[in-house]
Amino acid sequence: MRVKWPNDLYWQDRKLAGILVEMTGQAGDAAHLVIGMGLNIAMPETQEVDQRWANLKDACPSMPDKNTLAAALINGVIEALKQYEETGMTGFVERWKRFDNFYGRPVKLLLGERVVMGIARGINEQGALLLETEAGITPYLGGEISLRAAD
């Protein structure tokens, strides 16, 4: 498995899952999170998806039953949240680099109507995508940003 900034899981260069996090709260106060995951378990072939995708049954032929899978995902999220509470994003930067599907690869970053081409260089301690261009390495975070493999 690999990761794609900011919130996707990839298998063999195809999207396997997406994770969304919604946060509410005040600065310096407790945050409340809603974390959702969409996982392609056994999606039928379709022409309606505009990107390459994969099914978990292909990535994991001996797939556990849905309850076991759900429990494993929940436990994994809980462990990651505990680690985040202890280390913040700093504890995830190197691990992200090891699993980054696009690290060192040419990509295009879609910023609304603007397109920035460059080489993906991982993330920083704020979770921003690092993109290397002729101007150097620039962090990009939030808003309507979409990362795609360069054509």
Side-chain angles (χ1 to χ4, degrees), residues 115-142:
V115 176
V116 180
M117 304 292 286
I119 304 296
R121 295 295 181 206
I123 62 173
N124 66 13
E125 290 78 16
Q126 289 75 44
L129 173 72
L130 299 175
L131 189 64
E132 182 179 355
T133 66
E134 293 174 358
I137 297 178
T138 304
Y140 291 89
L141 184 64

Side-chain angles (χ1 to χ4, degrees), residues 1 9 15-19 36-43 54-57 59 63 66 69-70 73:
M1 294 300 153
L9 297 178
K15 184 175 178 176
L16 180 63
I19 302 167
M37 177 184 284
L39 176 61
N40 301 333
I41 293 177
M43 194 164 86
N55 277 316
L56 186 60
K57 69 178 182 72
M63 188 171 67
K66 290 180 184 178
L69 177 60
L73 290 171

Side-chain angles (χ1 to χ4, degrees), residues 7 25-26 29-30 50 67 76 99 111-112 118 130 146-148 150-151:
N7 59 349
Q26 302 290 329
D29 197 6
D50 66 349
N67 290 335
F99 293 101
L111 305 159
L130 299 175
S146 181
L147 175 68
R148 299 279 189 255
D151 297 329

Side-chain angles (χ1 to χ4, degrees), residues 1-112:
M1 294 300 153
R2 312 289 287 172
V3 292
K4 175 190 169 224
W5 184 88
N7 59 349
D8 290 336
L9 297 178
Y10 267 50
W11 179 71
Q12 294 185 347
D13 243 5
R14 298 179 291 162
K15 184 175 178 176
L16 180 63
I19 302 167
L20 295 176
V21 178
E22 185 174 316
M23 182 175 77
T24 60
Q26 302 290 329
D29 197 6
H32 301 278
L33 302 175
V34 175
I35 302 172
M37 177 184 284
L39 176 61
N40 301 333
I41 293 177
M43 194 164 86
E45 289 296 323
T46 179
Q47 300 297 320
E48 296 180 26
V49 179
D50 66 349
Q51 60 185 297
R52 292 176 36 131
W53 56 271
N55 277 316
L56 186 60
K57 69 178 182 72
D58 298 325
C60 182
S62 59
M63 188 171 67
D65 66 83
K66 290 180 184 178
N67 290 335
T68 302
L69 177 60
L73 290 171
I74 291 167
N75 289 333
V77 168
I78 289 169
E79 286 303 311
L81 290 171
K82 286 178 185 175
Q83 181 183 352
Y84 182 82
E85 191 171 35
E86 293 173 10
T87 67
M89 276 303 292
T90 303
F92 291 88
V93 172
E94 277 305 310
R95 188 162 68 175
W96 181 278
K97 184 177 176 181
R98 287 195 316 269
F99 293 101
D100 190 337
N101 194 61
F102 290 96
Y103 188 87
R105 292 172 57 182
V107 296
K108 60 182 174 182
L109 198 58
L110 308 175
L111 305 159

